[in-house]
Amino acid sequence: MDAQSPSREVVAVAEVIRRHLLRHPQASDTAEGIQRWWVLPVLGEVSLQVVEQALTTLEAEGFLHRLQQAWAPTAYLAARPLEPGPRPTDH
């Protein structure tokens, strides 16, 4: 494994996050919330650093977005298409 490849633990956490967002596309949470509520029940205790690395990986892939607001902690949510999908034609 080269220095740029994520560790197996990061890959496993990223997969848990990916599956969670596929099942719950409207979900969003902070890294700490994701660690506690999404990852812990599936993989057990995982460090916050590993969760943050998985989130960074998923963000780089375009799978999720980081939402930073001055009045709230950084949250993560599933990426949404920027344009609406195809609409049925009116007949």
Side-chain angles (χ1 to χ4, degrees):
M1 178 181 335
D2 64 62
Q4 299 302 314
S5 297
S7 71
R8 287 184 193 173
E9 191 175 30
V10 170
V11 170
V13 169
E15 185 58 29
V16 168
I17 295 168
R18 186 185 321 274
R19 280 187 273 138
H20 184 87
L21 287 171
L22 289 171
R23 284 191 310 269
H24 308 282
Q26 301 300 318
S28 68
D29 211 333
T30 62
E32 292 85 358
I34 291 168
Q35 177 192 32
R36 181 172 183 181
W37 301 111
W38 303 9
V39 177
L40 181 66
V42 178
L43 297 178
E45 192 67 38
V46 175
S47 75
L48 184 57
Q49 180 181 8
V50 168
V51 172
E52 289 171 340
Q53 289 173 356
L55 291 166
T56 298
T57 298
L58 291 169
E59 185 178 19
E61 292 174 3
F63 188 78
L64 60 77
H65 289 297
R66 178 188 314 238
L67 179 62
Q68 294 180 288
Q69 303 172 39
W71 61 88
T74 299
Y76 297 86
L77 58 153
R80 308 276 194 278
L82 297 177
E83 298 178 17
R87 295 182 186 186
T89 56
D90 293 328
H91 290 280

